[in-house]
Amino acid sequence: MNSSPGEKEVVQSKQHTVEEWSALFVGKRLVEYPKDAKPEPIKADHDMGTKMEDAEPEGQAPKVDEPTDDEDDEGSSDAAEKAKKRQIKWAELPQPVRVIWPGTRVTRDLRPNRLNVICTADDLITKVQFF
């Protein structure tokens, strides 16, 4: 069976494309993950003579639109429901999955069926990829 180049994005994780997984996860906050899943914040290496304040950031995470205070009514139960809809639980992620926070060490092994979920330090999902 021959496949076109565009079909390479489809993988075993319930046969969704990267775009479909992105639509489901990007902009949501990851919650209820195992304690040992998230790495400790990176500390400056004193042997290198570089302080974290002096270091150039490797790259900015893409800006993800989050609702403003104007969009949420603090006093209503509707606000709590909206906040819950903007969350995704660790257990709801498709398997195999690897969550990558800033400072997470990753191996270079290529597993095209593994969903990689890239998060900010405050657990906001900014990107999903297969690699």
Side-chain angles (χ1 to χ4, degrees), residues 3-109:
S3 63
S4 67
E7 291 177 339
K8 283 193 166 190
E9 293 291 321
V10 178
V11 296
Q12 291 179 350
S13 295
K14 298 185 182 176
Q15 299 300 315
H16 287 298
T17 63
V18 170
E19 291 79 17
E20 290 168 329
W21 286 123
S22 292
L24 290 171
F25 298 142
V26 171
K28 292 188 177 183
R29 197 160 307 281
L30 185 62
V31 295
E32 298 183 15
Y33 49 83
K35 290 179 183 179
D36 61 341
K38 189 173 181 180
E40 293 293 320
I42 301 173
K43 296 181 178 126
D45 186 354
H46 297 291
D47 294 333
M48 294 176 62
T50 304
K51 295 181 183 177
M52 288 303 289
E53 300 87 46
D54 297 337
E56 285 290 321
E58 287 185 19
Q60 288 294 123
K63 177 117 172 87
V64 177
D65 292 331
E66 288 194 76
T68 61
D69 290 337
D70 297 337
E71 294 173 1
D72 277 343
D73 294 330
E74 292 283 351
S76 71
S77 62
D78 201 31
E81 189 62 33
K82 286 180 183 179
K84 200 169 197 176
K85 286 182 180 180
R86 291 189 308 264
Q87 295 178 347
I88 185 82
K89 294 179 182 176
W90 179 278
E92 296 172 342
L93 296 174
Q95 297 300 318
V97 67
R98 173 170 60 179
V99 179
I100 304 171
W101 283 277
T104 301
R105 294 181 181 187
V106 295
T107 59
R108 291 187 176 195
D109 61 322

